[in-house]
Amino acid sequence: MGELDRRQALRLLGASGAAAALASGLLPGLARAADGGPPDPVAATYLRVLLRHTRWAEQQFDPATGTYPARDFTFAVVLGNAVLLTRDGYDATVAGIDRETLRAHTLATIRRFAASNRLAGGAEWGRKLFFDTTFQSYFVLAARLLWTELDDTTRQHVERITTGQAGYTTALGTGDDPDSGSWTPHGLLGGYAGDTKLEEMGVYAQSLAPALAWAPADPRAGEWRAAFGAWSRNEAGLPAADLANPRLVDGRPVSENTATNLYDTFLVENHGSFGPHYQEELWRTSGRNATHFLAAGTPLPEVLTAQPNGELLWRTMLLMTSDAGEPLMPMVADREHLYGRDVIPLAFRAQVLGDRHAARAEADLAARLEPYQAYPPADRITKFSGEPKYEPEARAELAISYLLHEWRAAHGGPVVPVSGREFDAHAAGVADFGPEPGLLAHRSPAAWAGTVSKPGFVKFAWQPRHDDWLFVLGGANPMLLPATNLAVRERHATTYAKVRDGFDGTIGVLRFDSGYAALATLPTGAAVYASSGVAAGEGVLDVHNLAMPGVPGLDGDRTYTAAEGTVTVKAAAAPTGARTDELTFAPVTARHVRMLGVEPAPQYGYSLWAFEVRAGDGPDLARAGTASASSASPGREAKYAIDGDAATRWAVSTSDRPRADSSLAVDLGAPATFDRVRLSWEAAAGRKYRIETSPDGLAWTPVATYPVPDLRSTGGRLDVDGRAGIVVSGPNPITVAGDRVTLSDGPPAPLLAELYPEPAGARPSGRRTSTAPAVRACVTDGFLVLVNLSGSAASGTAILPGEARLYRGEQVLTRDGTELSYALAPGEGRIEPPRFTVRGPAGVKAVVRDASRVELTAPAGVLPVLVAVTPDGGRARPVLLPPRRTVPVVFGELRPYPLADRALGATTFPADPLPPGMSSPAAAVDDDPATAWRPGPDGRMVVDLGAVLEVSAVELAWTRGRVPGTTVETSLDGVAYATADTGPARYVAVRTRWKAGDASLTRLSVRT
């Protein structure tokens, strides 16, 4: 804010209270509760966490300079300090420092780094778009909170930084920042495959926001505003969506957007994988930017509350949300559980946009912050990541989130979160994001599941109760498949949507060189894993096991129950991933001993601080030996594993990190007798390995293996800590070894596992007999799962004993159930819900056409047959079947799922923000006759069918009233349209000449 603007803001506050308000950090657009305390419980949590986090911040303070350091932008802790210093309730005992000392540290740091910023004439930091401007944004806001305590020179520096950055950024036009290296937004064209440019465009916009907020009367502000709008509107650009939206945002139509920053399934990808943190970046930068405007009392640019395609991106986020309110991360490992960083996108959506579902997620995340912060290393709020700059960044964004709560309290009162049940119902859904992103996802109210086929991250993921601390989901950690680097040769993905099929579900089938594997996910939260036996040790589930009181399940151990009994595995003492293994064995005499890897740590392979060889409590025999290794990183040679120095270590070479059989060997110099080895691992701790000995270093004999199972079961059933139940059908045993579950611990073998989001108890196996050897059949929670694990078409029958449930297709009643006929294409999977139940004699044939119609044929005989037909969830109806006659039974009141309309549940455009007078076009494809699309003046809508289909007809149904003139258009790419209602198309558009009072569109149907 320029001096004139600042004086105007003071006058708006009133002369009597303005100076005091600014002195206390109460900026024109912010207000605190009347009692001076936090405005709501979530905000109160943020203040407590900031107080405790101050202990970490003060550990970084450099007494030599009298400031927080420039290293990793640590000086950005001043924003959290500024919030604490200007709010009531400061507690020196919790913070670990008295208030006035913190104030002195903070002001000294602001003075130094305001002067050392390049834009103020310094040479230490600043101006560089990546990543200086992010921390510059925090820094400027901190200075504004403490404005009246700054000297005039420092204020001038801050104002020069603010306006100078805007001038520098706009001078770049749409070009790259020469100081930022390879970081580029690719102009306003963007990019999405491999590395989306949403984040990059957000950084360009973010560098402009402080100047627009604090210096809106600057003569250059119009130029800044235009650049800010262009970068912001294009952040989530997708031509097929944008071109369909004439809505003006900050005076410019969305249809003028030029960027392609999203996959057409509304997914972003960074650094070669789907990382929901980057999906959230749209609202992370919006939160940073909005706080400047709100604090300055300057109106928000419209784009911050009307972001093109923002709501469709949010739907993707909802689909991935864990029980902690942050996204599950099936591909990226090093950004999991960064709770401090994940707050601000939710706070922005909840407090600025008023999104009650985001408020639920924010409250859930806030509830985890304090237990998380207390876990070692204590006080930090971004553990489990190697990027030091995340810590000051998270502190700043937690402070911003607090300020957003204060603003909301003064502008409409608190946003009341929906209930957890409402959130789960709203977030439920399925999506196939396509083979390039490599993600097929399903969030039910009881679980999250996904088939991931992205190279390097191949897995079948499942998290019961959306518990982000049960199974280890991220990055190169395997799930069900024993490794994530298997090459996928074919991908078959099928989604079932409630609006079209009557239920949500997915089935993903992957072909590998060694066979097929599949995962079917059900609306109950259960899942079915089926494999032809693609590798040894299949069915892997790694379990988080930590002592983090306050987080459900993390009480310091995990309990596993099988037919053979119960075992409790204690949490490892070290929180960093390091581990010490001591393996004992019968005394052996040998000259050589080695660790031979079987399975490396997923990210970094193998690395040992120490390799010790002993006889009982005797001396370490390895100290006098000579070490060698299969490979080593520079400065991490084999010798450092036996030098007795706890600060040196051996590590495999970078190129060998994925290699399983890396080894470290020690030549003792002469034959010796020993009975144990002790391995002290770095975080790259081998998952599996063998200890072998040799007389000559050529012929090796195994003497011990790691891990040693804590539990081995052949009973086919395992309960995991009361939080998940698994029923297994296969020849190999189930084992629990430390924090790893293996459902088929042995050589490659066929496997079928049913995964339940609650203990399995005495559940019988749902495995059913199939006459085609390659076809697996299973009935789980009443749903029939069929999957062809072969490259050839397969047909046959599935034997389904028990109550005579009827599934789509042809089946015959038997004395103890039914026999269902099937025909499956190569690699095809199907999920069939029970549509009817029939009671009648053996030999009755039933052909289920859909959920409302079944055709029954009596067996051979001379007398009529009486049967009872009950539709799923309905009432029984008696039916008399004449001999050898087919009788159709129709329940006209039921929807005839699966429905043939290809538009049902499809993505529609325009999405938010909608043009004036238009309601959401999604109402025309929701299968609800009570909802309808109101086009608005000459409105136009588009339906994305998801793939190019051969359209045979487009049907429109309207409410009562005058039907407007309409034109149906089709397109292959969402860019070029032609007037047509048949032929190949992915996008179908309806253009209207609608006027006020005309009818609305209740249904747009597409037939193929």
Side-chain angles (χ1 to χ4, degrees), residues 734-747:
I734 302 169
T735 62
V736 176
D739 297 319
R740 167 162 288 192
V741 174
T742 305
L743 304 180
S744 181
D745 199 356

Side-chain angles (χ1 to χ4, degrees), residues 812-999:
V812 176
L813 273 63
T814 63
R815 292 183 182 276
D816 61 353
T818 64
E819 292 185 2
L820 180 138
S821 300
Y822 58 76
L824 298 172
E828 180 185 359
R830 284 170 46 193
I831 301 173
E832 296 291 350
R835 297 303 190 185
F836 302 94
T837 302
V838 172
R839 293 183 181 178
V844 171
K845 184 175 78 171
V847 179
V848 175
R849 300 297 182 186
D850 54 49
S852 70
R853 180 185 178 94
V854 58
E855 297 167 358
L856 301 174
T857 304
V862 296
L863 297 176
V865 172
L866 183 65
V867 299
V869 182
T870 306
D872 185 49
R875 293 185 177 183
R877 178 186 298 180
V879 178
L880 191 64
L881 303 180
R884 297 180 299 281
R885 293 280 298 278
T886 298
V887 176
V889 183
V890 180
F891 293 82
E893 71 278 12
L894 300 178
R895 294 296 287 152
Y897 298 118
L899 305 176
D901 183 357
R902 302 304 293 265
L904 283 173
T907 300
T908 58
F909 310 131
D912 288 337
L914 292 169
M918 182 183 289
S919 65
S920 174
V925 296
D926 64 358
D927 199 40
D928 184 350
T931 64
W933 172 57
R934 185 182 66 254
D938 294 333
R940 177 177 178 270
M941 70 168 284
V942 176
V943 175
D944 179 2
L945 302 177
V948 175
L949 305 174
E950 189 64 34
V951 174
S952 62
V954 176
E955 301 170 1
L956 307 177
W958 299 85
T959 60
R960 292 181 179 179
R962 190 185 81 86
V963 175
T966 60
T967 303
V968 175
E969 303 168 331
T970 61
S971 172
L972 297 175
D973 59 7
V975 176
Y977 283 83
T979 302
D981 57 6
T982 61
R986 171 171 173 172
Y987 300 90
V988 175
V990 175
R991 186 185 298 276
T992 73
R993 292 175 290 282
W994 191 91
K995 298 178 181 179
D998 283 356

Side-chain angles (χ1 to χ4, degrees), residues 27-101:
L27 294 170
L30 300 177
R32 285 180 279 158
D35 62 1
D40 57 64
V42 169
T45 297
Y46 294 161
L47 270 192
R48 292 193 300 271
V49 172
L50 282 172
L51 269 171
R52 180 165 180 172
H53 192 254
T54 304
R55 291 178 175 269
W56 173 86
E58 286 306 304
Q59 290 171 5
Q60 317 310 310
F61 185 78
D62 182 1
T65 63
T67 66
Y68 304 100
R71 182 191 67 251
D72 300 315
F73 300 101
T74 304
F75 62 85
V77 300
V78 294
L79 179 52
N81 295 2
V83 167
L84 293 174
L85 291 168
T86 54
R87 268 66 195 164
D88 294 337
Y90 187 86
D91 188 328
T93 302
V94 176
I97 184 174
D98 68 87
R99 189 171 194 150
E100 290 314 306
T101 302

Side-chain angles (χ1 to χ4, degrees), residues 529-597:
Y529 176 69
S531 171
S532 62
V534 299
E538 201 168 346
V540 170
L541 294 167
D542 289 324
V543 180
H544 284 293
N545 192 1
L546 307 175
M548 194 184 290
V551 176
L554 298 188
D555 55 4
D557 57 49
R558 295 288 193 180
T559 300
Y560 302 87
T561 302
E564 291 79 0
T566 297
V567 64
T568 296
V569 177
K570 295 295 183 182
T576 61
R579 190 183 75 227
T580 298
D581 305 332
E582 184 161 321
L583 280 66
T584 60
F585 38 86
V588 62
T589 300
R591 175 173 172 170
H592 301 267
V593 59
R594 74 177 181 181
M595 182 285 300
L596 177 64

Side-chain angles (χ1 to χ4, degrees), residues 84 158 256 298 305 313 389 491 528 543 741 994:
L84 293 174
V158 172
E256 287 186 0
T298 304
T305 56
L313 271 177
K389 75 175 191 287
R491 173 187 187 265
V528 177
V543 180
V741 174
W994 191 91

